[in-house]
């Protein structure tokens, strides 16, 4: 359905809710009739969102590095990386492999932890039995980040040599590639990864504030120290560590967005007026009003705007009033037909930002829309985009991701009758230790990587990069752009699925 309207602010709030939810729910409701309140339940659900939620969290257990706990549910994985950090005489055992390789990249790991925490902060109250699993996924990340930040003015930001790791196709349990340790410090700053790490620790402190207050205090104290380091010693880690971190996790957006994002999380976690003043003084310099509308592991501007708009809308911090306008501009940039529109969609209705791991932008955008709609509802505020063209049948994502797409394929492994069989993931594609106890050498695995055989180990809950701009998906293991899962695709999806499962009475 397409309608061109010159709308009142109140109608635009209805349109925003239709937009936020139709991006999640396909075209379940016409824009003009979508209910305003979160607790109203539609009659039937297109999908089992509770099952998808369970699986989206379970995925993180398949990405674990280190000594696995007795309650490990992804049983084809075993211990790995047990000497990580020894190259610099520090303990860096644990954490997550970010995607389908065996490197631990601190920048996306921290963002993953921030977004998992935000998912729980906003929607954890709806998760019921999955809340503890979500907390454990967060803690697996924060325990590692605490190790990586144990030394003042130093953060260990990577374990493993990405180039040499990518030259092998081997299980993490077998890896014999160099476990180099990279760090940032006063002489080699890395404000983007430091500020993101501070954001992760601060956000997670809110998750554990009631259930483990001692741990929460440790997290927030470390976040304060790490942010101070990020801000005092400004510089990009992509400069000092370029040959190691680029092109894998180069910071293309600079570090200003992370400083704003980190300060926003510290303001929320500490309520210390110092951070509010920091945001007021430095916000413009750090890009508060830029028009970029991409939110992911590299660029946090949009996330900071949405988070700071909550401080204005819900906490009534009048000094942050401008952030509602910045957040509104972001919303309008996603709606086709508005003056600020920047978004592109596939013919099947999927938000399309870029060919490499596009689904990360789908899940992060969906989360931000839901969160912002929640803030607007609680404060009885509206979005005004002026004259808009709303095409609700095109604004969809999670149902598309779960199978409502031209290929009728779920892009979450293990969900639905048809899903990717040959994901770009070493551990999933090679025989597990139980099936093949003998070591698989570095280059031996490439015969399997290049084969058309399905992966023997199902990485349940993994969401892959997704289809191209024409809704095509070849399901080829070598195609890392479309077939590789990552932790930062799943992290914001956890919050959205919790909301959907609750909205349809499944939780």
């Amino acid at each position: 359905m397409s309608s061109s309207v010159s709308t009142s602010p109140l109608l635009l709030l209805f349109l925003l809710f239709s937009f936020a939810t139709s991006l999640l729910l396909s075209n379940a409701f016409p824009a003009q009739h979508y209910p305003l309140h979160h607790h109203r339940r539609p009659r039937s659900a297109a999908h089992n969102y509770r099952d998808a939620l369970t699986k989206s969290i379970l995925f993180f257990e398949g990405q674990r590095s280190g000594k696995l706990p007795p309650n490990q549910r992804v049983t084809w994985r075993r211990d790995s990386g047990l000497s990580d950090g020894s190259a610099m005489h520090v303990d860096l055992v644990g954490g997550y492999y970010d995607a389908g390789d065996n490197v631990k990249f601190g920048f996306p790991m921290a963002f993953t932890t921030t977004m998992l925490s935000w998912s729980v902060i906003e929607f954890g109250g709806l998760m019921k039995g999955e809340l503890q699993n979500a907390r454990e996924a967060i803690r697996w990340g924060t325990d590692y980040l605490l190790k990586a930040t144990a030394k003042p003015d130093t953060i260990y930001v990577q374990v493993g040599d990405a180039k040499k790791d990518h030259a092998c196709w081997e299980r993490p349990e077998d890896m014999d590639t160099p476990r180099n340790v990279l760090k940032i410090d006063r002489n080699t700053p890395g404000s983007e990864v430091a500020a993101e790490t501070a954001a992760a620790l601060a956000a997670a402190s809110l998750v554990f504030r009631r259930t483990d207050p001692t741990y929460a205090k440790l997290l927030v104290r470390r976040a304060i120290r790490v942010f101070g380091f990020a801000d005092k010693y400004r510089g990009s880690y992509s400069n000092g560590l370029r040959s190691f971190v680029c092109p894998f996790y180069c910071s293309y957006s600079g570090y200003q967005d992370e400083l704003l994002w980190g300060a926003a999380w510290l303001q929320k976690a500490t309520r210390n007026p110092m951070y509010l003043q920091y945001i007021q003084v430095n916000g413009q310099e750090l890009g508060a009003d830029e028009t970029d509308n991409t939110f992911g592991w590299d660029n946090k501007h949009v996330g900071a705007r949405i988070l700071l708009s909550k401080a204005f809308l819900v906490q009534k911090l009048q000094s942050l009033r401008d952030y509602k306008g910045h957040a509104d501009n972001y919303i309008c940039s996603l709606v086709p037909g508005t003056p600020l529109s920047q978004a592109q969609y596939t013919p099947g209705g999927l938000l399309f930002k870029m060919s490499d791991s596009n689904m990360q932008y789908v899940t992060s955008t969906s989360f931000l829309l839901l969160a912002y709609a929640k803030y607007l509802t609680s404060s009885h505020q509206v979005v005004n985009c002026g004259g808009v063209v709303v095409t609700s049948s095109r604004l969809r994502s999670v149902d598309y991701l779960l199978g409502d797409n031209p290929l009728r394929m779920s892009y979450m492994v293990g969900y639905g009758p048809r899903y990717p069989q040959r994901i770009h993931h070493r551990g999933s594609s090679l025989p597990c230790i139980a099936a093949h106890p003998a070591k698989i050498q570095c280059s031996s695995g490439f015969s399997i990587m290049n084969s058309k055989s399905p992966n023997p180990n199902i990485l349940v809950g993994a969401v892959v990069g997704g289809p191209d701009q024409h809704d095509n998906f070849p399901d080829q293991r070598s195609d890392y752009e479309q077939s590789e899962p990552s932790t930062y695709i799943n992290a914001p999806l956890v919050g959205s699925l919790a909301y959907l499962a609750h909205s349809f009475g499944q939780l």
Side-chain angles (χ1 to χ4, degrees):
M1 180 186 66
S2 177
S3 60
S4 182
V5 291
S6 253
T7 57
S8 69
L10 182 58
L11 179 56
L12 274 159
L13 180 56
F14 277 92
L15 295 177
L16 171 61
F17 271 89
S18 176
F19 174 55
T21 313
S22 61
L23 188 66
L24 291 160
L25 298 177
S26 180
N27 56 344
F29 298 96
Q32 292 87 341
H33 299 102
Y34 186 73
L36 187 64
H37 300 291
H38 278 255
H39 62 265
R40 292 277 295 278
R41 290 175 180 168
R43 293 180 180 177
S44 62
H47 289 279
N48 187 338
Y49 302 110
R50 180 174 185 169
D51 182 50
L53 171 65
T54 297
K55 291 172 176 175
S56 70
I57 299 171
L58 180 62
F59 160 74
F60 289 95
E61 295 191 22
Q63 296 301 109
R64 285 172 170 172
S65 179
K67 180 72 175 175
L68 302 184
N71 64 350
Q72 170 79 9
R73 295 178 293 168
V74 180
T75 55
W76 52 264
R77 282 294 325 283
R78 299 289 174 88
D79 298 346
S80 62
L82 297 182
S83 62
D84 280 358
S86 60
M88 282 197 175
H89 309 290
V90 292
D91 175 10
L92 295 174
V93 177
Y96 289 112
Y97 303 116
D98 70 299
D101 58 22
N102 301 323
V103 182
K104 294 193 302 203
F105 295 98
F107 195 19
M109 195 192 308
F111 178 67
T112 294
T113 306
T114 309
M115 292 309 298
L116 269 174
S117 298
W118 201 0
S119 286
V120 170
I121 289 165
E122 296 299 343
F123 302 110
L126 312 179
M127 290 181 182
K128 295 191 176 177
E130 288 304 322
L131 179 57
Q132 183 55 32
N133 290 325
R135 286 197 193 108
E136 288 183 10
I138 293 166
R139 190 160 190 153
W140 197 269
T142 52
D143 281 352
Y144 177 83
L145 295 177
L146 287 171
K147 292 180 178 184
T149 58
K151 185 178 179 181
D153 293 346
T154 300
I155 304 179
Y156 298 98
V157 297
Q158 184 172 315
V159 179
D161 184 317
K163 293 183 175 69
K164 292 181 179 178
D165 181 272
H166 290 184
C168 294
W169 193 265
E170 58 186 355
R171 301 176 295 199
E173 295 84 358
D174 287 335
M175 62 180 166
D176 50 11
T177 50
R179 301 302 284 173
N180 299 359
V181 176
L182 304 182
K183 69 175 182 176
I184 56 172
D185 54 25
R186 297 178 183 182
N187 298 318
T188 308
S191 296
E192 62 276 89
V193 64
E196 181 60 62
T197 302
L201 294 168
S205 75
L206 294 167
V207 171
F208 295 104
R209 180 167 286 175
R210 292 184 179 178
T211 58
D212 192 340
T214 301
Y215 189 63
K217 289 175 183 176
L218 172 63
L219 292 172
V220 77
R221 284 197 300 265
R222 188 65 57 82
I224 291 168
R225 191 179 82 188
V226 170
F227 184 79
F229 164 62
D231 189 45
K232 184 176 181 180
Y233 300 98
R234 292 192 182 190
S236 173
Y237 91 141
S238 296
N239 293 332
L241 301 176
R242 175 168 292 276
S243 63
F244 297 99
V245 302
C246 297
F248 312 103
Y249 288 102
C250 246
S251 177
Y252 298 101
S253 67
Y255 58 77
Q256 290 82 1
D257 53 307
E258 277 84 18
L259 288 176
L260 183 62
W261 171 245
W265 276 110
L266 276 160
Q267 188 278 325
K268 183 173 176 59
T270 68
R271 301 295 176 93
N272 188 325
M274 175 180 73
Y275 295 105
L276 183 59
Q277 182 181 14
Y278 178 94
I279 293 164
Q280 292 169 324
V281 172
N282 297 286
Q284 297 308 305
E285 175 195 347
L286 299 178
D289 59 354
E290 290 186 11
T291 57
D292 49 349
N293 76 336
T294 298
F295 179 55
W297 62 262
D298 183 24
N299 195 331
K300 319 297 163 43
H301 275 136
V302 171
R305 290 175 202 136
I306 297 291
L307 187 62
L308 290 170
S309 72
K310 180 181 184 179
F312 165 68
L313 291 168
V314 180
Q315 298 163 12
K316 309 303 182 185
L317 293 179
Q318 295 300 316
S319 61
L320 297 176
R321 172 183 294 274
D322 288 349
Y323 285 90
K324 181 188 180 295
H326 301 326
D328 289 355
N329 288 341
Y330 167 65
I331 300 300
C332 296
S333 77
L334 296 169
V335 181
T338 67
L340 295 176
S341 178
Q342 301 178 35
Q344 294 182 326
Y345 297 86
T346 68
L350 186 71
L351 177 71
F352 193 83
K353 300 290 290 188
M354 59 183 67
S355 59
D356 189 357
S357 191
N358 179 65
M359 205 63 85
Q360 66 176 299
Y361 304 110
V362 172
T363 60
S364 62
T365 300
S366 298
F367 177 86
L368 290 184
L369 285 166
L370 271 183
Y372 195 52
K374 178 184 174 184
Y375 307 157
L376 289 169
T377 302
S378 66
S379 60
H380 307 288
Q381 293 280 339
V382 297
V383 174
N384 193 335
C385 297
V388 297
V389 177
V390 177
T391 312
S392 63
S393 63
R394 296 183 64 210
L395 307 177
R396 41 186 274 189
S397 86
V398 172
D399 274 6
Y400 184 112
L401 185 158
L402 295 177
D404 290 0
N405 55 64
L407 297 182
R408 295 293 181 257
M409 169 182 278
S410 162
Y411 290 102
M412 175 184 285
V413 173
Y415 178 87
R418 185 179 181 218
Y419 52 81
Q421 301 292 312
R422 289 168 285 276
I423 67 172
H424 184 93
H425 190 278
R426 286 158 176 77
S428 173
S429 68
L430 296 167
C432 67
I433 298 293
H436 191 287
K439 181 174 180 176
I440 299 174
Q441 299 291 338
C442 165
S443 58
S444 300
F446 280 108
S447 61
I448 293 177
M449 195 277 276
N450 292 315
S451 76
K452 294 185 178 180
S453 60
N455 288 12
N457 308 309
I458 308 303
L459 186 58
V460 174
V463 178
V464 297
D468 64 16
Q469 66 268 37
H470 304 295
D471 299 299
N472 297 318
F473 182 78
D475 197 10
Q476 293 177 351
R477 196 176 291 110
S478 60
D479 185 355
Y480 62 87
E481 290 192 344
Q482 293 183 252
S483 294
E484 188 170 18
S486 71
T487 57
Y488 44 86
I489 294 177
N490 275 55
L493 181 61
V494 168
S496 299
L497 288 171
Y499 167 75
L500 291 171
H502 173 78
S503 296
F504 285 98
Q506 297 171 359
L507 280 173

